Amino acid sequence: MSKRNHTNRDRARRILDTLDRVEITYDHVKNAWIDLYGVGYLPSNAFLSSCLKVHDDWIPVSGIRSGKVTYKRRATAASD
């Protein structure tokens, strides 16, 4: 894994840790990325998907087949 890729994964993980929402989509993460880091390297949906799959706080809840995937905080989904 290249150093740049590792840095971008750390950035994505930091954003996912600090997002103050119950549900997110890739667009929410990308907007937070732009606010923090600009558009120099805007991650793709595939990159964000791989980051979300290994993150402990977020689970997919809807739209997996429609292309508009929504993720929900694991603690919130467990209480529903």
Side-chain angles (χ1 to χ4, degrees):
M1 182 182 324
S2 71
K3 183 176 181 175
R4 178 179 176 161
N5 193 20
H6 185 66
T7 301
N8 289 331
R9 287 199 184 278
D10 289 342
R11 288 178 173 182
R13 192 174 304 119
R14 199 171 310 129
I15 288 171
L16 293 173
D17 288 341
T18 60
L19 277 175
D20 190 26
R21 301 181 69 92
V22 175
E23 292 186 356
I24 61 170
T25 63
Y26 298 135
D27 294 335
H28 294 117
V29 180
K30 286 183 178 185
N31 288 336
W33 185 286
I34 291 169
D35 291 343
L36 290 171
Y37 307 116
V39 293
Y41 173 81
L42 188 60
S44 67
N45 289 355
F47 176 82
L48 293 176
S49 175
S50 69
C51 291
L52 282 159
K53 284 179 184 176
V54 297
H55 199 277
D56 292 335
D57 291 346
W58 298 100
I59 57 172
V61 291
S62 67
I64 294 171
R65 293 176 194 249
S66 67
K68 190 72 168 180
V69 182
T70 302
Y71 290 86
K72 194 171 196 176
R73 285 210 182 268
R74 186 177 300 274
T76 306
S79 67
D80 288 349

